[in-house]
Amino acid sequence: MKEKNEQTPRVYFDHNATTYMRKEIIELMMPYFGEKYGNPSSLHFFGQEGRAALDKARAQVAALIGADPEEILFTSGGTESDNLAIQGTVRKNRDRVKRPHIITSSIEHPAVLRTCQALEKEGSEVTYLPCDRQGIVDIRRLEEIIRPETVLVSLMLANNETGVIQPVEDAARITRKLGVPLHVDGIQGVGKIPVDVSALGVDMLSISPHKFYGPKGVGALYRKRGTGLAAVYSGGHHEVGLRPGTENVPAIVGFGEACRITALRLEQEMKQIGDLRDRLEKGIRERVEDILLNGAGKRRVPNTCCVTVRRIEGEALVLNLSVLGFAISSGSACASGESRPSHVLIAMGLDPVDAQSTLRISLGIGNTVGDVEAFLEVLPEVVQRLRKLSPI
Ligand SMILES: Cc1ncc(COP(=O)(O)O)c(C=O)c1O
């Protein structure tokens, strides 16, 4: 086995976890860490400089998804946006509905799943829609499941492990007809595919710019005008009282710029990344036997490849590839050091052993054909070696 040395590449294939920031974005943020430090709520000129920066960023975020600036609420990230949408809706309905009912799916991110589970403990009822073998949420029963106590439907736009795009528009037709708000966790979709909130028909949409070359620790919740929502935190008047707390101005400036650049380059970058992903999957198919490309036949975001390499422990493969200079992720949730098969893959019907043998390779704009070829060169050898050692 090759050892890590100065020739070892450093190839990042984990863009669904997070991305680096575009240089232009870092440069634009810098003054807001330094001389432009005013609190946007202050009336004087320092404050007004911050306020103007927030207004500009709000308009840029809104423009990327076809919303109005007043419909954008800044938060501390995707997790908070999901929490605000779900908890805030339940709170808003607390007086009206004794036992609020939420509908979501079994393949959501923990930011949604655990929020729903916490609400169940507090008296809400949650229905988890199943998905098919390709990782598409089955919404056929949505209409019959919705009942007078249903306060929210929450579905993701694209799955973080498989990249599979979900039938949000179809769900929206049903929720609109029945007058139930639809929240969409758009965190793995926005910045990777074109998203227009009116065309999708959603009432709320969570966004997180660290998935598309913007800063971490900042996010937004799009809330269609008139959608009922209560604050989860108590405090000041910020973000129309729905998300109190002094705004993270440097990060919001970077968020706005990430949206502006994405709007300009998305089409070309989607094509570039999609071509690379196709090359990668073709190469894996040709060079490694006994694999499954999960969700590959379905509409996916262009950067994500979810591959089961049977008869290997996924984490062993991740660690071995890391030593060789390739950063990828395994399909198991690593909670407190204990590794469990991914709930997404299990929901898709993979057996737990196959789920543990699954990798997520997520490409980004900095990746090249050379990166993919270098990966394809080392992969068969590592797979062969690990299969020989594997107890599976
Ligand atoms: C689908 C999805 N939802 C929510 C989140 C959480 O977003 P954040 O990291 O901004 O809190 C992630 C992050 O990986 C995600 O992939």
Side-chain angles (χ1 to χ4, degrees), residues 16-17 76-80 82 108-109 111-112 156 158-160 185-188 207-211 217-218 360:
N16 285 8
S76 67
T79 300
E80 191 193 331
D82 286 344
E108 300 297 314
H109 187 273
V112 167
M156 67 197 331
N159 184 266
N160 43 303
D185 174 340
I187 289 156
Q188 293 290 347
I207 315 173
S208 185
H210 77 94
K211 308 293 186 185
V218 65
R360 178 185 72 183

Side-chain angles (χ1 to χ4, degrees), residues 86-227:
I86 300 167
Q87 293 195 51
T89 302
V90 169
R91 277 187 175 221
K92 182 75 185 173
N93 286 282
R94 223 168 16 195
D95 296 337
R96 189 181 67 83
V97 187
K98 196 154 164 265
R99 189 144 193 240
H101 174 229
I102 303 165
I103 300 172
T104 187
S105 86
S106 48
I107 60 163
E108 300 297 314
H109 187 273
V112 167
L113 281 182
R114 300 228 168 110
T115 303
C116 288
Q117 286 157 6
L119 287 167
E120 278 181 292
K121 289 197 183 122
E122 293 171 15
S124 294
E125 205 177 320
V126 183
T127 304
Y128 299 90
L129 296 171
C131 75
D132 68 12
R133 185 65 188 77
Q134 298 298 315
I136 298 180
V137 174
D138 183 355
I139 59 160
R140 281 173 304 180
R141 289 187 55 235
L142 183 58
E143 188 158 352
E144 68 187 75
I145 292 171
I146 291 178
R147 53 184 204 240
E149 298 78 34
T150 308
V151 295
L152 186 71
V153 176
S154 180
L155 294 176
M156 67 197 331
L157 179 56
N159 184 266
N160 43 303
E161 293 184 34
T162 61
V164 171
I165 297 171
Q166 302 301 323
V168 166
E169 277 168 278
D170 298 336
R173 270 191 282 279
I174 298 168
T175 55
R176 263 200 215 159
K177 189 170 87 179
L178 300 181
V180 176
L182 173 64
H183 163 249
V184 168
D185 174 340
I187 289 156
Q188 293 290 347
V190 175
K192 296 195 174 104
I193 52 170
V195 172
D196 182 290
V197 285
S198 307
L200 279 181
V202 303
D203 300 288
M204 289 183 277
L205 179 84
S206 302
I207 315 173
S208 185
H210 77 94
K211 308 293 186 185
F212 56 102
Y213 314 101
K216 296 173 183 54
V218 65
L221 180 67
Y222 155 79
R223 182 186 65 124
K224 187 175 164 186
R225 204 176 281 106
T227 307

Side-chain angles (χ1 to χ4, degrees), residues 312 317 320-321 324 378-387:
I312 290 189
L317 196 45
N320 276 264
L321 287 164
L324 296 172
V378 302
L379 184 68
E381 181 196 315
V382 180
V383 168
Q384 201 179 25
R385 183 162 43 77
L386 289 177
R387 275 184 175 159

Side-chain angles (χ1 to χ4, degrees), residues 221-363:
L221 180 67
Y222 155 79
R223 182 186 65 124
K224 187 175 164 186
R225 204 176 281 106
T227 307
L229 192 67
V232 172
Y233 297 156
S234 306
H237 54 274
H238 314 79
E239 303 299 302
V240 293
L242 286 172
R243 202 285 183 174
T246 302
E247 301 86 349
N248 182 351
V249 180
I252 290 172
V253 165
F255 185 2
E257 183 67 358
C259 291
R260 188 188 71 80
I261 298 175
T262 297
L264 294 176
R265 303 190 194 158
L266 184 60
E267 203 177 317
Q268 176 241 319
E269 290 176 349
M270 270 176 69
K271 164 95 179 70
Q272 171 198 327
I273 293 173
D275 287 350
L276 271 189
R277 199 257 314 265
D278 291 348
R279 187 181 192 109
L280 173 73
E281 292 192 338
K282 182 166 177 281
I284 294 175
R285 262 200 196 102
E286 285 168 1
R287 296 176 203 209
V288 184
E289 58 180 32
D290 208 8
I291 59 135
L292 302 170
L293 286 169
N294 301 297
K298 296 295 164 188
R299 219 156 57 95
R300 290 180 292 168
V301 289
N303 79 318
T304 308
C305 165
C306 178
V307 58
T308 301
V309 184
R310 284 189 157 137
R311 293 180 282 120
I312 290 189
E313 189 68 50
E315 278 176 14
L317 196 45
V318 166
L319 292 173
N320 276 264
L321 287 164
S322 175
V323 171
L324 296 172
F326 297 92
I328 57 172
S329 154
S330 73
S332 52
C334 227
S336 59
E338 144 227 22
S339 90
R340 284 175 281 115
S342 136
H343 69 281
V344 175
L345 300 171
I346 296 295
M348 286 167 65
L350 261 74
D351 79 49
V353 175
D354 279 350
Q356 293 271 36
S357 306
T358 301
L359 304 178
R360 178 185 72 183
I361 306 167
S362 49
L363 307 176

